[in-house]
Amino acid sequence: MPEAVVAPPASVGMAGRCAALLVAVLGAGAAGLSLEPVVWHTGNRRFLAAGGYVLYPQIGDRLDLVCPGAGGAGGGYEYYKLYLVGGAQARRCQVPPAPTLLLTCDRPQRDVRFTIKFQEFSPNLWGHEFRRLHDYYIITTSDGTPEGLENRQGGACLTRAMRVTLRVGQRDRRGQPIRRAPPPGPGPPPPRGRAVAGGAGGGAAALLALAGAGGALWWRRRPRRPPKTPRGPPRPRPTCPAPACPLRDLPPPAATPAYYKV
């Protein structure tokens, strides 16, 4: 049952109310649903249904696998190991060499439960990840007895059809099937060269725009140099004869070599 949305107090503004309502709606959508538990016992008649035991979970839903304790399902206790396998192993009722073990039913004194959360990305290192429009299978190759708990082939999967098919994201909440994308037509496939060239051109344009923006930013923030002081016009050389010119305007006399008598 989805959680009730509590109205914010009157002191909160319209923006706060909208934000609170949006968070509540998104939280309710991301929480998913808790599906009907799968009771792993021969007393569960859904294993013998026409077409098998098929479930249609959505991303975000939860599913409980339950091994009832002694007398909990109206019969004796049954020993099982439940594995998550692919389609080929489910059809052959065979466990791969490195199986994904979900649950071990070997405690007659109480119920044993394992919860599967259907998520595309798991924050847990050992968590399970599921993809939309994909099928997953849960089987048991045990025969229900303590001696046959470790069987890797056959078992109740073969003799009692104890397997569950999980078709993730293939029906909506109303039970209507979700249509897959139509396959490409019989015509020739679109050329890849144009797509690659377009992608390369777009990437080059983006790089050029980024480089231009960086250059403009550097030009605005570059260090300013002090302006140069303009030089005056060159001083004119004196044109008057040497005796009439002042001494400061005459060039210095050339040094005469000194002679020493030996």
Side-chain angles (χ1 to χ4, degrees), residues 10-30:
S11 60
V12 182
M14 182 59 66
R17 294 182 181 181
C18 294
L21 181 60
L22 180 61
V23 170
V25 171
L26 292 178

Side-chain angles (χ1 to χ4, degrees), residues 195-211:
V196 173
L207 290 177
L208 289 177
L210 184 60

Side-chain angles (χ1 to χ4, degrees), residues 80-130:
Y80 295 111
K81 278 191 173 184
L82 310 185
Y83 300 96
L84 183 66
V85 299
Q89 288 85 12
R91 288 187 294 269
R92 295 194 299 263
C93 289
Q94 184 179 3
V95 175
T100 301
L101 179 63
L102 298 179
L103 180 62
T104 300
C105 306
D106 58 352
R107 299 179 182 179
Q109 64 275 13
R110 62 184 180 88
D111 293 351
V112 181
R113 183 182 301 264
F114 179 79
T115 302
I116 299 177
K117 182 178 180 181
F118 296 93
Q119 53 190 356
E120 292 182 301
F121 302 99
S122 174
N124 186 5
L125 179 61
W126 305 107
H128 305 290
E129 298 179 352
F130 299 87

